Amino acid sequence: MNVKVEEVSSIRKKLSFELNADRVGEEIRRAYGEIARTAKVKGFRKGKVPPRVLEQYYAPQMREKVLTRLINDSYFKALVDHQLPAVGNPEIIESGEIAKGSPFTYVAEVEVKPEVMAGDYTGLQLEKEIFAPDQELLDHRLEEMQKSRSSMEVSKRKKAREGDFVTIDFQGFVDGEAFEGGTAEGHVLELGSGSFIPGFEEQVVGMKRDEEKEIEVSFPEEYGNKDLAGKPAVFKVRLHEIKEKKVPELDDEFAKGYGVDSLAELKEKLAENYREQETGRIDSELRERLVKVLVERNPVDVPEAMVQQQLEYMLDNIRNRMQQQGMSLEMLGMNEESFAAMYRETAVGQVQGSLILEAIARQEDIAVEDGEIDGKLEEIAAMANASLDAVKKYYDNDEARNSLKSQIVEEKTIAFLLEKATVTEVSKDQLAENQPAEESESPAEV
Amino acid sequence: MKPLHQIIKRPLITEKTSMVREGGNVVAFEVARTANKIEIKQAVEKAFDVKVEGVNTVLVAGKVKRVGRNFGKRSNWKKAYVTLAEGNEIDLFGV
């Protein structure tokens, strides 16, 4: 076997192969041998077709077999021999004839992982957002919790008032005739919610239980149904029941419903959660900015195959997440193609980022020590609420372990870079000002 | 003489004919049922430009085939084994 490697670009290599005639002949014989076992030719029993006849009928199949066999063997051997970090599948751009007694030549091009030499990665200027507690937001959250705990109770009051939920029957007439959609029984209406035409709810206010009343309103001019818009209408309404919403008091009792002892504790916990969430977001944003700066300083060509891989990974990720929410990509009016088009840029950036980080890790000799893996496993176990053994079992194969390792290396590299960088802390508003063009957070951020 | 293709219908390539072919330079054809050995010899010599040493023929009885309750019979046909003189050869695949 004879292989010549040429460099097309930093991410593309051209491989020219020449395989000698003996090897080709042997493969041809082998291929025919395989075909003969199952070949069916009229006049011959299965497996009894002589080679001479076989060659007449099965030459194309033989060629295909020999081709894949030869290319598979030689191509992968060449990758190992020349230590090419290929990504994606090779593209055969030239291929000679396969014939007994003559050598076979072919030329393939393949994308390789570029060899990145990262430079200029110390002393980066970065801005980090300062965590600012947001009391308003916390209060709001507490209020929402309160609301979600509220319950409906039949009111003891006689008359309905705004904010009540009333059960009513109604029948609507326009010009003395009942119209379609104007009738309902047992309808629950929140007074003051504005879900009915203006004037209706206001007139229900003050009605008593089991009272019947005629309500006169007129449909607004811009009403959806053209036949009714602007017309006066009369509704015969009968009120059945008045219910009011009972919002629980904000006290220690309320807090107990959430597994803590006192309201103060609940508030603390909420604040803590919020802080964790925010610092997580701040860290990941800082990290994103760091990678962005690195990419700007170290332009890297990215093999298409890696971009595709990343896109696929992102797509999988988002699919899973959506499935958990009972949604699908299609519901957002997207399909795989539009997704790929939309997030291509992001994917390229991420691939560049990880290539550069990898290069830095190599240049700085950042590696994983055994203890770190165990530490990480414990962390994962704690986060996923799973037993350490289960987690260990999950990572007990090379692939998972390697990806875990590269994850740790990446984290360490980032920590290293942040240490070397000048990080200025700024407030959120300032940050937004300094980077007005910052892209809004996309759902695919991974 | 009749046109050649009315005498020689098609070459016959089967396990059996492949075997005799290897054994003694004999090729097999399906031929017209009315053709005799002399006609076959002349036809083969003319069509393939070879020298024929001898011809053996055999009448093959058509098989009786059945589809449901209907019986049918395939036509009888004639097979010819043509022995070629030494140094002559017919490539039946036309390569």
Side-chain angles (χ1 to χ4, degrees):
Chain A
M1 189 177 83
N2 213 336
V3 192
K4 216 166 68 204
V5 183
E6 286 167 76
E7 197 166 293
V8 182
S9 70
S10 67
I11 52 165
R12 236 181 142 74
K13 292 269 196 301
K14 192 160 136 185
L15 307 166
S16 314
F17 292 85
E18 194 184 316
L19 301 159
N20 63 29
D22 287 353
R23 181 71 211 283
V24 177
E26 187 192 314
E27 283 302 339
I28 291 178
R29 239 197 346 270
R30 200 157 141 193
Y32 274 132
E34 273 169 31
I35 294 169
R37 249 174 277 145
T38 52
K40 260 184 143 172
V41 178
K42 261 205 162 152
F44 298 92
R45 284 168 294 163
K46 207 166 150 192
K48 301 282 183 188
V49 185
R52 257 181 84 138
V53 179
L54 205 60
E55 279 167 31
Q56 297 307 317
Y57 285 90
Y58 284 95
Q61 280 90 325
M62 174 280 289
R63 208 160 297 144
E64 205 176 298
K65 271 191 180 223
V66 173
L67 211 62
T68 37
R69 184 70 125 296
L70 287 177
I71 289 177
N72 268 349
D73 281 8
S74 57
Y75 171 72
F76 289 110
K77 193 161 181 307
L79 287 189
V80 176
D81 288 353
H82 295 262
Q83 297 194 338
L84 297 175
V87 286
N89 294 321
E91 198 183 316
I92 310 291
I93 47 177
E94 258 180 65
S95 148
E97 270 301 298
I98 288 181
K100 243 184 221 171
S102 63
F104 170 64
T105 57
Y106 74 95
V107 181
E109 272 192 14
V110 66
E111 286 190 307
V112 294
K113 208 161 147 184
E115 257 180 49
V116 181
M117 278 304 286
D120 206 12
Y121 51 78
T122 50
L124 301 175
Q125 300 283 339
L126 290 169
E127 285 173 337
K128 183 181 180 179
E129 187 185 325
I130 303 171
F131 166 71
D134 186 347
Q135 194 53 46
E136 213 171 290
L137 194 106
L138 289 178
D139 288 347
H140 185 71
R141 217 172 262 187
L142 208 56
E143 212 172 282
E144 257 169 24
M145 285 162 76
Q146 210 178 346
K147 257 189 205 158
S148 74
R149 277 290 181 100
S150 62
S151 55
M152 294 279 217
E153 272 170 36
V154 176
S155 172
K156 292 187 187 79
R157 276 180 284 111
K158 282 215 171 111
K159 287 181 178 177
R161 58 173 191 216
E162 201 160 309
D164 285 349
F165 288 75
V166 293
T167 313
I168 52 171
D169 296 344
F170 60 85
Q171 202 175 7
F173 299 90
V174 168
D175 299 336
E177 277 185 41
F179 61 90
E180 212 176 304
T183 310
E185 279 179 22
H187 188 91
V188 177
L189 173 67
E190 183 186 356
L191 298 180
S193 67
S195 55
F196 272 33
I197 44 178
F200 189 99
E201 288 166 23
E202 284 82 342
Q203 293 184 56
V204 177
V205 171
M207 278 176 76
K208 290 179 196 147
R209 198 165 299 134
D210 289 330
E211 183 186 334
E212 281 182 43
K213 185 174 171 186
E214 287 196 355
I215 289 177
E216 283 174 38
V217 287
S218 56
F219 282 99
E221 294 290 341
E222 64 275 12
Y223 194 67
N225 189 336
K226 286 276 171 300
D227 294 340
L228 300 175
K231 292 220 175 119
V234 178
F235 284 91
K236 279 188 186 163
V237 179
R238 186 188 162 91
L239 191 138
H240 287 296
E241 211 174 22
I242 305 170
K243 282 182 175 173
E244 56 189 324
K245 215 175 193 176
K246 271 262 194 289
V247 178
E249 293 284 322
L250 269 186
D251 52 18
D252 290 355
E253 205 54 44
F254 175 76
K256 275 181 186 140
Y258 290 94
V260 286
D261 286 338
S262 69
L263 187 62
E265 214 171 305
L266 180 65
K267 278 183 179 164
E268 214 168 276
K269 208 172 155 192
L270 279 179
E272 175 67 19
N273 281 348
Y274 177 68
R275 204 177 56 81
E276 254 170 42
Q277 205 180 336
E278 281 292 285
T279 44
R281 181 184 63 82
I282 289 169
D283 281 347
S284 80
E285 277 181 15
L286 176 66
R287 196 198 125 122
E288 259 167 51
R289 274 198 293 278
L290 169 73
V291 172
K292 209 166 158 190
V293 172
L294 283 176
V295 171
E296 272 164 24
R297 292 192 180 193
N298 296 285
V300 181
D301 283 336
V302 182
E304 183 57 29
M306 286 181 87
V307 176
Q308 291 305 332
Q309 253 172 34
Q310 180 69 18
L311 273 173
E312 244 163 66
Y313 172 73
M314 282 160 66
L315 189 66
D316 270 0
N317 223 316
I318 201 163
R319 275 250 160 87
N320 282 344
R321 213 175 321 167
M322 291 193 129
Q323 216 161 30
Q324 279 170 9
Q325 294 167 14
M327 291 182 50
S328 75
L329 209 57
E330 284 68 26
M331 278 160 118
L332 292 183
M334 286 214 285
N335 56 25
E336 280 170 34
E337 270 162 50
S338 63
F339 177 86
M342 209 164 150
Y343 290 109
R344 214 198 130 70
E345 203 97 328
T346 321
V348 171
Q350 282 171 0
V351 174
Q352 283 175 327
S354 64
L355 283 173
I356 294 167
L357 287 178
E358 213 173 275
I360 296 172
R362 199 177 51 234
Q363 282 162 239
E364 295 292 335
D365 277 334
I366 298 175
V368 191
E369 280 131 42
D370 290 340
E372 281 170 332
I373 292 184
D374 289 337
K376 185 80 187 167
L377 287 175
E378 268 164 41
E379 206 177 292
I380 291 170
M383 221 157 65
N385 240 341
S387 75
L388 187 58
D389 281 341
V391 175
K392 268 189 178 152
K393 206 168 163 193
Y394 178 78
Y395 280 100
D396 198 20
N397 66 61
D398 279 349
E399 201 181 326
R401 211 156 246 274
N402 279 340
S403 89
L404 186 69
K405 259 187 201 166
S406 54
Q407 199 184 331
I408 296 174
V409 169
E410 209 168 291
E411 274 166 27
K412 278 176 85 172
T413 311
I414 285 179
F416 166 82
L417 287 171
L418 286 177
E419 206 176 286
K420 298 274 181 195
T422 323
V423 179
T424 13
E425 296 207 324
V426 294
S427 75
K428 196 172 186 172
D429 298 338
Q430 238 176 318
L431 195 69
E433 230 168 76
N434 294 352
Q435 290 170 322
E438 182 91 37
E439 283 160 52
S440 62
E441 218 171 301
S442 56
E445 226 70 74
V446 266
Chain B
M1 201 175 122
K2 284 183 204 161
L4 299 179
H5 66 268
Q6 280 187 18
I7 297 171
I8 304 170
K9 289 192 170 167
R10 58 183 70 92
L12 204 55
I13 303 164
T14 65
E15 276 185 55
K16 184 170 177 180
T17 64
S18 304
M19 267 166 69
V20 295
R21 187 184 174 145
E22 306 294 324
N25 209 12
V26 178
V27 269
F29 296 98
E30 184 183 335
V31 295
R33 210 152 33 124
T34 54
N36 61 37
K37 291 180 178 175
I38 297 163
E39 280 173 328
I40 294 166
K41 176 176 174 176
Q42 286 167 354
V44 172
E45 286 187 339
K46 203 161 167 194
F48 298 101
D49 194 19
V50 288
K51 186 104 183 73
V52 173
E53 211 170 271
V55 177
N56 295 338
T57 60
V58 70
L59 268 172
V60 184
K63 294 174 179 174
V64 176
K65 290 278 174 182
R66 213 182 89 154
V67 178
R69 57 192 178 89
N70 305 315
F71 289 83
K73 188 174 171 297
R74 287 186 180 171
S75 308
N76 299 334
W77 54 283
K78 186 178 268 186
K79 177 157 70 174
Y81 289 103
V82 179
T83 313
L84 304 177
E86 224 163 283
N88 289 284
E89 206 181 313
I90 295 176
D91 190 343
L92 288 180
F93 297 107
V95 185

